[in-house]
């Protein structure tokens, strides 16, 4: 049993280890032999390359962290408040607002309306809010949280608080929120991951290099490679482009840098994660 | 309940306020000066704003225009511009190329420029090669200003110079794939570290066709013989002969075994290859050599042909949503005819990004490579650019000679409108992406797989597409002859 579990665990970690190995492989060795588990020659060139672009990397790191922290706080509070409201039977419009959120899960408007709303109606282009607001509300998480509140916060507790003279805000922060910690932690983890991994909003709304988050930087490099591949007829011009794109090892090094923090922080969330998720799956 | 009402009111107010303030400030007129927004492809450059400030000081005086360039990275550009044009966002000038240009022009996203060119862009019209203007026109209307550069497509064999010298090969006699055979055999035998003929999934063998829907789709017109008839080039003997040769190379191990699926770009700076095929323009070998750090030998395979692909490779379009189309064309006119403007946008500020060695000859300063590395090919007229000190003095003359020697493809200027056969094209494209890479790289036996591919393509609706292409071609031909 232990062996099987160990093997399964290893299979999960292996790809990441492989990425780390490649990031330390010399570029010539990659070109000649392809990816190898134990490369012919090692090198830290990729990290030197990253060190040379440290200004952009640090800037992007900063943006990613700010967006993730700020975004998670905003998103989780919005989702928690919304779902708490629609989880209470005495809230008269709860059916309407539940449907209001649920509807967006079934019918999405698509890309162009999103672009118009964020860039032209709200005017958020080239601001950090363009990375935060579009992801702030998530109907799926609202439904999960609503169920969670309905199951784990008994009406009688709220009633006793009300009798003791607590107002709605006090009830929410002093009683409901502590009871719902596993649920909130789960949503927090989801949204954190969502913000950390988001690159698409940056693609749509961010031109200013100072506001490009880390994953988006990675994605741009990937997309640039793809562009090169599809535009072979560019000929000489392609070389101009090629010189601005890092090589394989450098890409892998970026993956390491972009993934490591979130991978390291995961275990701290995990205990909440497990208890949080079962809530949605239990009938009573 | 009260809070709900208030929240609703607040969000409504927020929406209204945001709606009013979102009117693009970039296009407001400040006095008599017009602000233009300009989307450009390429990795955003740190010094862009400095250069734009310098440029604006000049253009404001000359034509009363300030330009505001936004760079969008290579791989993101098409998707981003698609959304921007679909959303009807207001902008003035943008870079466009190839299929995107044709499609958006047909959809009406770009402004027709024929009249504006006569009224506000006369000098530019004269400066740019007629073949470019003609080829980039769609049903007689020009929708973008093509970059004036090499207009023909010529492909060359590029040899690793070290190996050519070591084995004393005579590359000047090579004119087809078959001629390569003996050399490849010798390299294969004696140089185990070298891949004789590197190819990856994007490799496209050279064949005498002009592809209507791109070389990864089967519909083409022959460049010689009966050039009036759309064909499935997979059915031709010429194609089969080429496929067989490549297959032979593959079986003998000259081509890497994973070529059909590999994305390896085979960078020049790694000396692990012997011969490859590239698109040529005059003195490109110097560029390649600079990349490689060892000698490069080139040998042309065909005469330069002017194709739609080559004339729509790089254009500056004016958006249909532009509020200042005249000013936009005036600016493009300046960009294509005023050496100061063109060089400033391309190389940056003299003294900061480059220095003058002598009249018209410049030398890079470190800041240019790091902070202002612009894609020359995408920016307009090349012939008024200054030269680097290590470039041959007759570079632009060579380009002119090259352009004069180029022969127009029979379907130059014919832009297919796919709207009637969209479904069939999507199906065809699926089949093509499944079969073409393995056939092109010799990974499968063409005698067996080409008929299979043809069968599948016919099932996918090839005939309907072909008929549509042919009908549109004949219509176009008639209009052109009038």
């Amino acid at each position: 049993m232990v062996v099987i579990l160990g093997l399964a665990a290893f299979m999960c970690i292996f790809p990441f280890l492989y990425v780390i190995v490649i990031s330390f492989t010399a570029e010539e060795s990659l070109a000649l032999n392809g990816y190898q588990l134990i490369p012919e020659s090692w090198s830290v060139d990729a990290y030197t390359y990253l060190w040379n672009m440290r200004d952009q990397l640090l800037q992007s790191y900063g943006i990613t962290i700010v967006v993730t922290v700020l975004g998670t706080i905003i998103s989780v509070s919005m989702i928690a408040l919304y779902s708490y409201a629609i989880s209470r039977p005495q809230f008269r419009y709860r059916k309407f607002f539940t449907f209001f959120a649920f509807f967006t899960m079934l019918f999405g408007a698509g890309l162009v309306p999103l672009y118009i709303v964020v860039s032209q109606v709200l005017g958020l282009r080239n601001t950090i809010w363009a990375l935060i607001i579009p992801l702030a509300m998530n109907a799926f998480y609202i439904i999960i949280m609503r169920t969670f509140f309905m199951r784990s916060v008994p009406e009688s507790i709220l009633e006793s608080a009300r009798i003791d003279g607590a107002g709605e805000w006090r009830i929410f922060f002093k009683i409901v929120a502590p009871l719902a910690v596993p649920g909130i932690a789960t949503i927090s983890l989801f949204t954190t991951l969502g913000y950390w991994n988001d690159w698409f909003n940056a693609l749509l709304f961010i031109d200013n290099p100072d506001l490009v988050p880390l994953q988006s930087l990675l994605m741009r490099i990937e997309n640039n490679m793809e562009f090169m591949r599809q535009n072979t007829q560019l000929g000489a011009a392609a070389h101009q482009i090629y010189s601005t794109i890092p090589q394989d090892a450098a890409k892998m090094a970026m993956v390491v840098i972009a993934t490591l923090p979130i991978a390291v922080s995961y275990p701290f969330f995990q205990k909440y994660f497990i208890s949080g998720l079962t809530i949605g799956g239990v009938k009573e | 309940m009260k809070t709900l009402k208030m929240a609703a009111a607040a969000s409504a107010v927020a929406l209204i306020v945001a709606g009013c303030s979102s009117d693009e400030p970039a296009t407001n007129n400040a006095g008599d000066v017009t602000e233009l927004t300009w989307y450009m492809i390429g990795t955003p450059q740190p010094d862009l704003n400095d250069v734009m400030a310098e440029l604006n000081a000049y253009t404001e005086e000359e034509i009363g225009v300030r330009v505001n360039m936004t760079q969008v990275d290579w791989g993101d550009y098409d998707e981003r511009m698609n959304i921007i044009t679909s959303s009807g966002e207001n902008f003035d000038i943008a870079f466009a190329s190839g299929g995107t240009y044709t499609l958006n022009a047909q959809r009406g996203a770009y402004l027709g420029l024929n009249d504006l060119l006569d009224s506000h862009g006369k000098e530019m019209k004269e400066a740019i090669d007629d073949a470019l203007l003609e080829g980039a026109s769609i049903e007689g209307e020009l929708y973008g200003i093509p970059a004036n550069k090499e207009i023909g497509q010529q492909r060359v064999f590029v040899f690793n110079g070290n190996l050519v010298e070591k084995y004393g090969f005579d590359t000047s006699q090579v004119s087809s794939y078959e001629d390569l055979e003996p050399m490849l055999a010798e390299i294969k035998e004696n140089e185990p570290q070298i891949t004789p003929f590197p190819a990856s999934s994007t490799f496209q063998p050279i064949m005498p066709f002009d592809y209507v829907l791109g070389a990864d789709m089967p519909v083409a017109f022959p460049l010689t013989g009966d050039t009036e008839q759309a064909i499935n080039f997979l059915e031709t003997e010429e194609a089969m002969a080429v496929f067989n040769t490549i297959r032979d190379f593959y079986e003998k191990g000259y081509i890497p075994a994973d070529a059909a699926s590999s994305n390896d770009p085979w960078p020049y700076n790694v000396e692990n290859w012997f011969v490859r095929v590239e698109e040529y323009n005059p003195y490109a070998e110097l560029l390649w050599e600079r990349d490689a750090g060892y000698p490069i030998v080139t040998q042309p395979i065909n005469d330069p042909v002017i194709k739609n692909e080559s004339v729509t490779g790089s254009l500056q379009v004016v958006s249909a949503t532009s509020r200042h189309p005249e000013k936009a064309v005036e600016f493009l006119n300046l960009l294509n005819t005023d050496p100061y403007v063109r060089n400033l946008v391309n190389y940056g500020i003299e003294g900061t990004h480059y220095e003058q060695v002598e009249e018209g000859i410049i030398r890079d300063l470190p800041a240019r490579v790091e902070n202002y590395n612009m894609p020359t090919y995408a920016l307009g007229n090349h012939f008024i650019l200054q030269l680097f000190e290590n470039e041959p003095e007759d570079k632009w003359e060579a380009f002119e000679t090259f352009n004069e020697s180029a022969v127009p493809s029979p379907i130059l200027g014919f832009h297919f409108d796919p709207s009637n056969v969209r479904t069939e094209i999507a199906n065809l494209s699926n089949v093509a992406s499944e079969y073409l890479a393995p056939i092109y790289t010799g990974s499968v036996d063409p005698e067996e797989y080409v008929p299979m591919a043809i069968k599948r393509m016919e099932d996918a609706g090839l005939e309907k597409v072909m008929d549509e292409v042919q009908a549109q071609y004949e219509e176009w031909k008639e209009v052109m002859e009038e």
Side-chain angles (χ1 to χ4, degrees), chain A residues 31 93 97 111 115-116 120-121 125 200 203-204 207 220 223-224 227 229 233-234 237 239-242, chain B residues 1 18 22 39 70 73-76 79-80 83-84 87 89 202 263 265 268 272 288 291 374 376-377:
Chain A
Y93 300 100
F97 281 101
L111 204 52
Y115 183 82
I116 292 176
Q120 285 162 36
V121 178
R125 252 177 72 179
F200 193 66
L203 175 133
L204 289 182
D207 304 312
R220 277 181 189 183
N223 285 344
N224 287 351
F227 176 86
R229 254 177 244 140
Q233 84 279 5
L234 278 177
H239 287 270
Q240 232 180 341
I241 308 165
Y242 197 78
Chain B
M1 187 57 214
S22 76
Y39 282 104
T70 302
D73 224 324
W74 301 104
D76 298 346
E79 187 170 7
R80 181 73 185 277
I83 296 165
I84 286 175
S87 75
E89 186 178 304
T202 51
N263 287 323
Y268 276 90
N272 59 352
W288 293 326
D291 254 24
M374 289 301 256
T376 304
Y377 90 97

Side-chain angles (χ1 to χ4, degrees), chain B residues 298-342:
Chain B
T298 59
Q299 167 67 17
I301 309 167
N302 55 354
D303 291 329
V305 183
I306 313 174
K307 297 182 177 181
N308 288 330
E309 225 177 65
S310 52
V311 291
T312 59
S314 157
L315 305 113
Q316 296 289 342
V317 299
V318 177
S319 167
T321 58
S322 167
R323 293 182 191 141
H324 318 282
E326 293 92 4
K327 286 289 174 196
V329 172
E330 264 177 59
F331 173 71
L332 285 176
N333 188 44
L334 216 54
L335 180 70
N336 281 290
T337 55
D338 187 326
Y340 175 73
V341 172
R342 180 70 180 91

Side-chain angles (χ1 to χ4, degrees), chain B residues 42-350:
Chain B
T43 305
Q45 295 299 312
D47 284 359
L48 183 65
N49 289 340
D50 300 345
V51 177
M52 284 299 122
E54 193 92 1
L55 174 71
N56 285 338
Y58 181 81
T59 50
E60 206 172 313
E61 196 140 299
E62 288 286 306
I63 53 172
V65 159
R66 296 176 65 81
V67 282
N68 204 331
M69 188 203 277
T70 302
Q71 281 195 292
V72 180
D73 224 324
W74 301 104
D76 298 346
Y77 191 81
D78 275 355
E79 187 170 7
R80 181 73 185 277
M81 284 319 286
N82 255 339
I83 296 165
I84 286 175
T85 41
S86 319
S87 75
E89 186 178 304
N90 160 263
F91 69 93
D92 300 291
I93 306 172
F95 167 81
S97 73
T100 324
Y101 164 73
T102 325
L103 206 70
N104 279 329
Q106 282 162 345
R107 270 187 358 195
Y110 305 145
L111 208 63
L113 297 177
N114 282 6
D115 296 341
L116 281 170
L117 211 55
D118 287 327
S119 57
H120 292 81
K122 268 203 199 88
E123 298 156 29
M124 158 166 83
K125 195 177 176 182
E126 259 163 44
I128 297 172
D129 201 302
D130 282 339
L132 283 170
L133 295 176
E134 232 167 80
S137 294
I138 296 172
E139 282 163 32
E141 183 81 29
L142 187 69
Y143 291 92
I145 309 297
N148 201 21
K149 50 185 182 96
E150 78 277 5
I151 56 172
Q153 250 189 15
Q154 182 178 36
R155 292 176 112 192
V156 289
F157 285 124
V158 179
F159 295 92
N160 178 332
N162 284 341
L163 292 171
V164 169
E165 199 182 331
K166 186 172 169 189
Y167 291 94
F169 292 137
D170 180 10
T171 55
S172 64
Q173 297 306 312
V174 176
S175 64
S176 68
Y177 288 112
E178 284 94 342
D179 297 343
L180 292 173
E181 214 301 320
M183 300 180 189
L184 295 173
E186 203 168 336
I187 295 290
K188 174 80 188 164
E189 204 181 301
N190 300 321
E191 302 280 345
Q193 290 290 317
I194 300 284
T195 304
F197 194 97
S200 54
S201 55
T202 51
F203 174 75
Q204 287 158 359
I206 305 151
M207 291 177 286
F209 306 112
D210 194 348
Y211 308 94
V212 181
L213 301 161
D216 47 3
M217 288 286 273
V219 188
F221 283 87
L223 293 178
T224 52
D226 180 11
T227 57
E228 306 259 300
Q229 187 63 45
I231 52 160
N232 176 358
F233 68 84
L234 289 175
E235 288 172 346
T236 62
E237 279 167 29
E238 292 106 311
M240 194 47 115
V242 171
F243 296 153
N244 276 325
T245 312
I246 304 274
R247 173 67 180 164
D248 184 45
F249 287 2
Y250 183 85
E251 284 189 312
K252 288 179 177 156
Y254 305 154
I255 294 173
D258 64 348
S261 58
S262 149
N263 287 323
D264 198 330
W266 294 93
Y268 276 90
N269 55 11
V270 188
E271 204 180 338
N272 59 352
W273 58 280
F274 170 63
V275 62
R276 58 169 82 201
V277 176
E278 296 272 8
E279 210 77 48
Y280 189 70
N281 59 42
Y283 293 118
E285 60 270 30
L286 296 179
L287 248 154
W288 293 326
E289 245 167 38
R290 202 157 56 184
D291 254 24
Y294 47 84
I296 297 286
V297 177
T298 59
Q299 167 67 17
I301 309 167
N302 55 354
D303 291 329
V305 183
I306 313 174
K307 297 182 177 181
N308 288 330
E309 225 177 65
S310 52
V311 291
T312 59
S314 157
L315 305 113
Q316 296 289 342
V317 299
V318 177
S319 167
T321 58
S322 167
R323 293 182 191 141
H324 318 282
E326 293 92 4
K327 286 289 174 196
V329 172
E330 264 177 59
F331 173 71
L332 285 176
N333 188 44
L334 216 54
L335 180 70
N336 281 290
T337 55
D338 187 326
Y340 175 73
V341 172
R342 180 70 180 91
N343 282 290
L344 180 63
V345 175
N346 201 78
Y347 295 133
I349 302 161
E350 187 180 340

Side-chain angles (χ1 to χ4, degrees), chain B residues 18-39:
Chain B
C20 294
S21 63
S22 76
D23 224 18
E24 296 284 304
T27 47
N28 282 349
N29 284 12
D32 289 338
V33 180
T34 311
E35 294 246 5
L36 299 177
T37 19
W38 182 11
Y39 282 104

